[in-house]
Amino acid sequence: MKKALAYILPTLLCFVLGGIAGVLQNDAIAHWYPYLNKSALTPPNIAFPIAWGIIYLCMGISAGLVLTSRAMARSRVMWIWFVQLALNFLWSVLFFFARNPLAGMIDIVALDILVIYYMVHAYRVRRAASWLFLPYLLWILFATYLNGYILLLSLIHISEPTRRSYIS
């Protein structure tokens, strides 16, 4: 039972935090996000909970593999896992709840780096734990592009009236 909990608890934590983030971002998804200038590559809203469901499951299993290993570095790797999970949650708060693409961009770039850092260190503990983070890494790199696209277009949109006033 103890071994099963090593897989169940981290997975449950991912889903609980994802659920809380979903509640926090509901208003922005309804009243702010639809009006942003988004990339043509932006998936439909239904794709996000499906992707995150798979990713959270992989993240939980990855943590379980690390927790059940006998490697000396498992505590350090789990610390990295928890910090990246916190940054993951924080991104939803910054981007959607605070409606701040710039703060979201700073957070998601740090998250990209930390996920790679986790993968490198988890690989030394259990290779499968590292590989289970690959879908997550690919998804957040794509999310970084989407966040960056929104940020860039919002900055261009903000600066347009200023540019026009100098031209006129």
Side-chain angles (χ1 to χ4, degrees):
M1 183 62 173
K2 186 177 180 181
K3 192 171 185 176
L5 285 176
Y7 291 89
I8 294 169
L9 292 177
T11 303
L12 191 59
L13 179 60
C14 289
F15 279 101
V16 166
L17 287 178
I20 293 169
V23 169
L24 291 175
Q25 64 194 30
N26 272 340
D27 186 62
I29 288 175
H31 300 105
W32 175 69
Y33 186 70
Y35 304 103
L36 295 175
N37 290 318
K38 295 182 285 297
S39 166
L41 299 177
T42 302
N45 286 348
I46 190 64
F48 292 94
I50 294 167
W52 280 112
I54 294 165
I55 290 166
Y56 288 150
L57 183 61
C58 289
M59 289 170 67
I61 293 169
S62 176
L65 287 169
V66 171
L67 286 169
T68 58
S69 77
R70 294 183 180 169
M72 296 289 288
R74 86 171 171 230
S75 293
R76 180 170 25 112
V77 173
M78 284 308 299
W79 181 85
I80 300 167
W81 187 90
F82 280 109
V83 174
Q84 69 76 30
L85 185 62
L87 285 179
N88 178 307
F89 178 78
L90 184 60
W91 181 84
S92 292
V93 172
L94 295 171
F95 185 87
F96 285 107
F97 187 74
R99 299 178 186 193
N100 190 332
L102 176 59
M105 190 68 186
I106 293 166
D107 178 86
I108 203 165
V109 168
L111 179 60
D112 294 338
I113 294 165
L114 202 55
V115 166
I116 293 167
Y117 189 69
Y118 172 85
M119 291 176 72
V120 167
H121 288 276
Y123 191 84
R124 297 176 187 151
V125 172
R126 284 241 173 112
R127 289 181 181 170
S130 178
W131 285 110
L132 280 164
F133 258 54
L134 185 58
Y136 179 32
L137 176 63
L138 295 174
W139 185 255
I140 63 170
L141 287 172
F142 181 58
T144 303
Y145 157 74
L146 295 174
N147 189 146
Y149 189 96
I150 290 168
L151 175 62
L152 182 62
L153 278 150
S154 69
L155 292 174
I156 290 170
H157 180 71
I158 290 169
S159 65
E160 273 183 20
T162 306
R163 220 178 351 186
R164 280 193 210 134
S165 67
Y166 289 119
I167 294 171
S168 304

